[in-house]
Amino acid sequence: MQVLVVGGGGREHALCWKIAQSPLVDRVHCAPGNAGIAEVADCRPVKDDDIPGLVALAKKDGIDLTVVGPEVPLCAGIVDAFEAEGLKIFGPSRDYARLEGDKAFARELCRRNRIPSPSFWTFEDFSQAKAFLENREEGPIVVKASGLAAGKGVTVAENREQAIEAARDSMEKKRFGDSGRRIVFEEFLEGEEVSLIALTDGTTILPLEPAQDHKQVFDGDEGPNTGGMGAYSPVPSVNHRVLSQIESQVLLPTVHGLRRSGEGYRGFLYAGLMMTHSGPRVLEFNCRLGDPETQPLLMRFQSDLVPYLLHTIDGTLAELEAPEWDPRTAVCVMATSGGYPGPYKTGMPILGLDGIETGPDLQIFHSGTSRRASDVLTAGGRVLAACALGENVAEARERAYSAIDRIDFLGKHVRRDIGARER
Ligand code: AMP
Ligand code: GLY
């Protein structure tokens, strides 16, 4: 089988690495890929949002299965376009990808199906948004651009003044372009965050193991939100009881609610949850795997991933047994370019990669890298991550940090506390 993975980040590197191990697969192709992906897949210079280009590539290369990593092509309808050409593709169709691409839509779905979530208020007019804040009691509130903003469209405002500024940035100053014309204010929730990603064919739901991401750029959850600075899995506090609570209160009503409006959601369904004193609350849905959650999850996923993808597409997920998981802990630590998530420089040579011995217990997954002759260069905000397995979180952390510390490039930044709250 020829498989095409769409995307070029760390999540796609982990997907290519995992899919390449499948006995069902002859060759993995990736568009556009990166310098790390090129070690496990044929990289093709087609951008991940060039849907006609990707359709043409899949036809020309005789691709049997396409797997989409990022949200942008999913929200733009890549699945609809491939299926219209009779091409097999993994992911939700455009209508269902709105779950991620339109936060107001996702919040309405929660409200209609009584899925536990923070209170929310949607605005399209800045003066109305400002008036709302001025009439509300002083205190923290969360401000979100309704559309896609690469994980950067959320501000946790400590007070009214910051909330007004965030709303102004999004609605008047157009910081996120069209994505920020409409905003959602949300009740501020406290607790531990958990990412729970499930495979679903619209009827059967197969949750993966829980993971925790670290979104803020600095240690101690300080600084602005990023796409994710590191992640680990499993999350011990999410035990069987909590997991079944999340399944029954969040995943089931979401999948059933979506089924009412068509043939059903197929793909990875990502629930970003806050575990509050009164149970799980949905912070966001994504229509894909998380980045960097995928990296530790796939290090632990011991079964062949490809049959799960194929059965999801065919609507026959119920025929498969639950996958095998490595019981050990995986920790993934990201190295980013100095300045990220603000402006940063690229093109810095990355040193130290050759000295690292990778294997089943340690992988370096590339996010934003490119190759120039024999050099690997930085090419994005998130550059690469070390992902390691250990008997416990301390051992996995020690392995991941000792690997990431041997890699260097100008401006490199690493959060030192990934997984540190777990012992
Ligand atoms: P999102 O992209 O919607 O998951 O938001 C990004 C991050 O902002 C989350 O991972 C949380 O850390 C924080 N956040 C989002 N919504 C809330 C909320 N209602 N209460 C507290 N923190 C939130
Ligand atoms: N790591 C968060 C996300 O993928 O949205």
Side-chain angles (χ1 to χ4, degrees):
M1 210 165 108
Q2 303 287 319
V3 179
L4 171 66
V5 172
V6 174
R11 166 185 48 214
E12 290 77 29
H13 189 177
L15 274 168
C16 288
W17 169 79
K18 182 71 190 166
I19 291 171
Q21 294 169 37
S22 170
L24 301 170
V25 172
D26 297 306
R27 189 80 195 124
V28 184
H29 309 251
C30 188
N34 62 38
I37 294 175
E39 315 252 309
V40 288
D42 269 336
C43 290
R44 314 305 300 264
V46 182
K47 291 216 180 92
D48 61 13
D49 58 356
D50 174 6
I51 294 177
L54 292 166
V55 168
L57 177 68
K59 283 184 167 170
K60 185 163 112 337
D61 286 0
I63 299 294
D64 303 294
L65 167 66
T66 298
V67 183
V68 187
E71 63 279 13
V72 169
L74 290 168
C75 292
I78 188 172
V79 170
D80 313 64
F82 269 61
E83 287 181 344
E85 299 285 339
L87 295 163
K88 206 184 255 294
I89 184 163
F90 180 92
S93 59
R94 175 166 51 194
D95 284 350
Y96 287 118
R98 278 181 77 198
L99 200 55
E100 171 163 5
D102 180 353
K103 285 186 193 278
F105 168 81
R107 284 286 169 241
E108 281 303 331
L109 180 90
C110 290
R111 174 140 68 190
R112 271 202 313 279
N113 295 282
R114 297 195 185 80
I115 297 159
S117 340
S119 307
F120 72 99
W121 305 269
T122 306
F123 291 93
E124 288 183 18
D125 178 88
F126 173 66
S127 53
Q128 284 179 13
K130 185 161 171 270
F132 167 83
L133 291 169
E134 281 163 351
N135 289 323
R136 189 178 165 274
E137 238 178 80
E138 180 57 286
I141 188 164
V142 182
V143 186
K144 300 186 176 183
S146 188
L148 293 180
K152 297 170 204 161
V154 176
T155 305
V156 178
E158 283 168 29
N159 53 42
R160 181 181 296 139
E161 200 183 326
Q162 283 181 10
I164 293 176
E165 266 330 291
R168 193 194 307 278
D169 268 1
S170 183
M171 301 176 94
E172 291 210 322
K173 298 192 186 157
K174 303 266 183 280
R175 186 162 159 223
F176 311 109
D178 241 19
S179 289
R181 249 182 338 120
R182 179 147 71 142
I183 58 162
V184 181
F185 288 132
E186 272 179 24
E187 171 195 3
F188 171 75
L189 298 177
E190 281 176 283
E192 280 292 314
E193 275 183 62
V194 173
S195 307
L196 191 71
I197 304 168
L199 268 166
T200 179
D201 59 7
T203 307
T204 301
I205 301 169
L206 201 152
L208 307 184
E209 293 263 293
Q212 190 173 69
D213 183 12
H214 295 62
K215 290 226 169 84
Q216 292 86 355
V217 69
F218 300 123
D219 287 23
D221 292 342
E222 299 284 338
N225 271 324
T226 68
M229 297 295 294
Y232 66 96
S233 169
V235 183
S237 61
V238 184
N239 54 30
H240 281 297
R241 189 187 58 77
V242 177
L243 206 54
S244 60
Q245 192 184 20
I246 298 172
E247 272 190 75
S248 62
Q249 295 182 3
V250 176
L251 296 178
L252 261 166
T254 304
V255 170
H256 285 171
L258 289 168
R259 175 110 213 173
R260 269 185 223 123
S261 59
E263 62 176 20
Y265 184 105
R266 287 181 190 190
F268 288 113
L269 172 63
Y270 169 131
L273 304 163
M274 187 72 90
M275 304 308 296
T276 71
H277 291 306
S278 28
R281 297 283 180 276
V282 175
L283 295 183
E284 65 164 344
F285 285 118
N286 294 325
C287 60
R288 51 169 175 84
L289 284 167
D291 189 344
E293 290 93 326
T294 303
Q295 292 86 316
L297 284 171
L298 291 185
M299 291 282 287
R300 297 188 53 228
F301 194 96
Q302 287 184 320
S303 306
D304 183 355
L305 181 64
V306 175
Y308 289 91
L309 304 176
L310 294 172
H311 280 261
T312 299
I313 297 173
D314 293 343
T316 53
L317 198 48
E319 290 174 11
L320 295 182
E321 300 283 329
E324 300 281 330
W325 291 91
D326 192 318
R328 290 177 295 167
T329 298
V331 170
C332 171
V333 179
M334 188 69 69
T336 62
S337 298
Y340 172 80
Y344 52 82
K345 294 205 175 90
T346 57
M348 306 297 163
I350 302 173
L351 308 175
L353 280 169
D354 290 341
I356 294 173
E357 214 172 293
T358 56
D361 291 0
L362 175 69
Q363 285 295 318
I364 303 296
F365 291 122
H366 291 222
S367 294
T369 65
S370 63
R371 185 173 278 283
R372 191 183 56 199
S374 61
D375 286 340
V376 178
L377 307 178
T378 66
R382 293 193 290 177
V383 175
L384 47 72
C387 193
L389 284 163
E391 289 306 326
N392 49 43
V393 76
E395 192 178 282
R397 268 171 55 78
E398 147 64 32
R399 284 188 186 150
Y401 277 106
S402 76
I404 205 77
D405 288 344
R406 289 167 62 194
I407 296 173
D408 203 16
F409 53 86
L410 205 63
K412 174 187 161 205
H413 167 65
V414 171
R415 249 184 91 153
R416 306 302 312 178
D417 62 348
I418 306 302
R421 281 201 295 266
E422 298 288 349
R423 275 163 217 289

